[in-house]
Amino acid sequence: MRISAVLLFAASVCFAQTQYDLLLQGGHVIDAKNKISAVRDVAIRDGKIAAVAEHIDPAQAFKVVNVHGLYVTPGLLDIHVHVYASTGDNEKGSYAGDLSVYPDGFTFRGGVTTVADAGCAGWRNFDDFKQHIIDRSKTRVLAFLNIVGAGMRGPKYENNLAEMEAKPSAEMALKHKGVIIGFKCAHYAGPEWTPVETAVEAGTIANIPVMVDFGTNFKERPMSELVTKKLRPGDIYTHCYSGLRNELDESGHVNPAMFEARKRGVIFDVGHGGGSFLWRVAVPAIKEGFPPDSISTDLHIGSMNAGMKDMLNVMSKFLVLGVSLDDVIAKSTWNPAREIHQDELGNLTVGAPADVAVLRLEKGDFGFTDTNGANLRGKEKLSCELTVRAGKVVYDLNGITRPDWKTLPKDYLQTGDSRWDAISPAPKKR
Ligand SMILES: [Zn+2]
């Protein structure tokens, strides 16, 4: 090659557009859909997963982040949260109000990129929920629509059978396909089956699942009949370790109806919350072979400061119970994605949205408290190092994507680039 050709070649390499925006290098990828649990590089471009391989050329990436020793998973999906927050016109102490939290303040710091609100809004106030929360959040917010038209605004509404209507609920769900991903039936304090039956009717019209918080326990409508007869395959029983509705029978063993229901395809979800997770239920249940299908928090202003805390804390409880890390991740990513019929989420397939969590498995002596305040100690705990949402870094606990300040110019400005960074990207040049 003559010198001019060499120069030309060098210049073309220098100015070549890199193929990828962001490369997460050397982490242990856990991707249940693609049956990967191994060290892999993950490359991202234009907000999508672009490549997953044993080695991806770092020269092809605009930004390279070393994640050796960490776990790289799909962004976590928490399908039981309460995020219809406001201090607006609704009554004090309402989940459609001040008992909820704003999603972005709680999600990314725990590796969560998608949440499903569990019935704060019904068909009457869903538009308001969408306008004020869903459309304004960086977190992907989906919703189980409450079968109660007014949503989760207390007993006056939630115990009123006249407020539960299948037709307008199904119409609202069909209008917002892909955002309303199910119906919620919750908190009912009467002996009738009407709330469950109405929710299932709406779910059948809209072709989406129903999630049930079975409310007050009644002998007229036992949980065993709910899960073996009333719910359809694919419907979700949440709060499955609450112990409030005979999840353990009188002998202290898992209610046989739950095994029977699982066989016919009914889903069992954690929904930890402020009153729905007890060691005295979960420990024997796991021992007897009844792990959850999906792990979820039931996040609200009470649970987050009590035993629940956050998604990673609830996931860590299942590590303590002996569920493998691969399974715990599957139950927090790919399983819930399938349960809500959003198969493009919860996996790292090439072309999938680049929602990614980078987690650390800490070793030490940790305490985990249940909803009655009983503690269990464990030696492992998950924490979140980095969260990527739609291809951009939205949370970085220890600054693993950031340069040392001493290497920067004296008068340095924002150090990131909008190609990969949503935290402090440099302003776009005019
Ligand atoms: Zn809830």
Side-chain angles (χ1 to χ4, degrees):
M1 241 189 301
R2 284 186 303 184
I3 288 175
S4 60
V6 171
L7 283 176
L8 204 64
F9 175 73
S12 74
V13 168
C14 266
F15 295 107
Q17 274 283 349
T18 45
Q19 201 179 340
Y20 306 120
D21 299 327
L22 178 62
L23 176 64
L24 302 174
Q25 199 178 40
H28 183 117
V29 169
I30 301 178
D31 176 0
K33 181 189 178 187
N34 294 300
K35 299 187 173 59
I36 298 173
S37 180
V39 172
R40 291 283 184 274
D41 293 346
V42 176
I44 291 166
R45 186 191 168 103
D46 295 334
K48 304 262 197 274
I49 302 296
V52 179
E54 279 181 45
H55 179 76
I56 296 172
D57 180 6
Q60 284 303 315
F62 184 76
K63 173 75 179 178
V64 180
V65 184
N66 179 350
V67 292
H68 282 89
L70 302 173
Y71 291 92
V72 177
T73 77
L76 305 176
L77 273 88
D78 185 355
I79 61 163
H80 189 152
V81 301
H82 295 280
V83 293
Y84 187 7
S86 77
T87 52
D89 298 333
N90 288 349
E91 46 286 303
K92 189 167 178 277
S94 172
Y95 285 97
D98 49 18
L99 297 185
S100 276
V101 300
Y102 290 101
D104 292 351
F106 297 86
T107 50
F108 297 148
R109 55 196 297 111
V112 175
T113 52
T114 298
V115 293
D117 183 88
C120 287
W123 68 270
R124 292 185 200 278
N125 49 5
F126 181 77
D127 283 330
D128 181 71
F129 177 39
K130 183 165 184 297
Q131 187 191 335
H132 287 102
I133 303 291
I134 295 176
D135 294 348
R136 297 186 192 192
S137 298
K138 294 196 183 92
T139 310
R140 182 186 287 98
V141 180
L142 308 173
F144 287 90
L145 192 70
N146 204 311
I147 196 60
V148 176
M152 220 168 250
R153 293 179 57 187
K156 190 175 127 196
Y157 299 93
E158 295 179 71
N159 289 330
N160 179 3
L161 294 176
E163 264 292 300
M164 304 171 197
E165 296 174 88
K167 202 166 163 269
S169 303
E171 275 167 10
M172 186 57 84
L174 289 167
K175 192 175 140 195
H176 296 286
K177 257 189 180 167
V179 179
I180 295 174
I181 44 67
F183 290 104
K184 181 80 186 290
C185 170
H187 302 167
Y188 187 58
E192 300 86 354
W193 283 108
T194 316
V196 169
E197 288 168 352
T198 311
V200 168
E201 188 189 339
T204 303
I205 300 170
N207 194 27
I208 49 178
V210 169
M211 177 188 272
V212 177
D213 161 335
F214 205 32
T216 310
N217 198 29
F218 274 95
K219 62 177 185 322
E220 290 89 339
R221 50 167 177 79
M223 181 275 283
S224 55
E225 194 177 333
L226 173 77
V227 297
T228 57
K229 296 200 173 72
K230 294 286 181 181
L231 295 184
R232 304 163 298 169
D235 286 337
I236 304 163
Y237 183 82
T238 191
H239 305 313
C240 67
Y241 304 114
S242 72
L244 294 170
R245 301 162 198 102
N246 306 109
E247 288 88 359
L248 298 186
D249 64 16
E250 306 79 58
S251 66
H253 295 290
V254 175
N255 193 322
M258 305 227 300
F259 284 105
E260 193 187 328
R262 174 164 276 176
K263 254 187 227 149
R264 58 185 283 271
V266 169
I267 305 292
F268 290 86
D269 175 68
V270 173
H272 187 301
S276 299
F277 183 89
L278 296 181
W279 289 125
R280 64 173 165 81
V281 180
V283 170
I286 302 291
K287 253 190 210 146
E288 291 175 26
F290 203 87
D293 294 297
S294 50
I295 295 174
S296 68
T297 61
D298 192 4
L299 169 71
H300 53 71
I301 58 158
S303 63
M304 56 162 284
N305 287 322
M308 188 285 287
K309 296 184 177 68
D310 61 20
M311 186 69 177
L312 292 170
N313 191 58
V314 179
M315 290 163 69
S316 300
K317 289 182 176 187
F318 287 89
L319 294 176
V320 178
L321 287 169
V323 180
S324 73
L325 179 62
D326 285 5
D327 282 350
V328 165
I329 299 297
K331 291 171 193 302
S332 312
T333 54
W334 181 230
N335 285 12
R338 279 181 298 169
E339 289 170 19
I340 60 170
H341 304 178
Q342 304 295 305
D343 289 13
E344 77 284 7
L345 303 179
N347 65 80
L348 299 174
T349 306
V350 170
D355 294 351
V356 184
V358 179
L359 307 177
R360 183 183 296 280
L361 186 61
E362 297 184 55
K363 308 276 184 182
D365 179 27
F366 307 104
F368 300 95
T369 309
D370 75 7
T371 52
N372 279 359
N375 203 45
L376 177 64
R377 300 210 74 85
K379 297 197 176 335
E380 291 181 328
K381 187 182 173 73
L382 288 164
S383 63
C384 177
E385 281 291 339
L386 191 75
T387 306
V388 176
R389 166 79 176 101
K392 293 184 185 183
V393 172
V394 288
Y395 179 76
D396 180 359
L397 180 65
N398 286 299
I400 58 175
T401 66
R402 319 309 312 196
D404 187 315
W405 75 278
K406 291 191 235 62
T407 65
L408 296 171
K410 212 171 91 197
D411 54 351
Y412 64 84
L413 300 171
Q414 290 95 325
T415 59
D417 188 285
S418 61
R419 245 180 110 167
W420 60 272
D421 184 22
I423 297 173
S424 44
K428 286 217 168 73
K429 288 197 186 80
R430 276 189 243 187

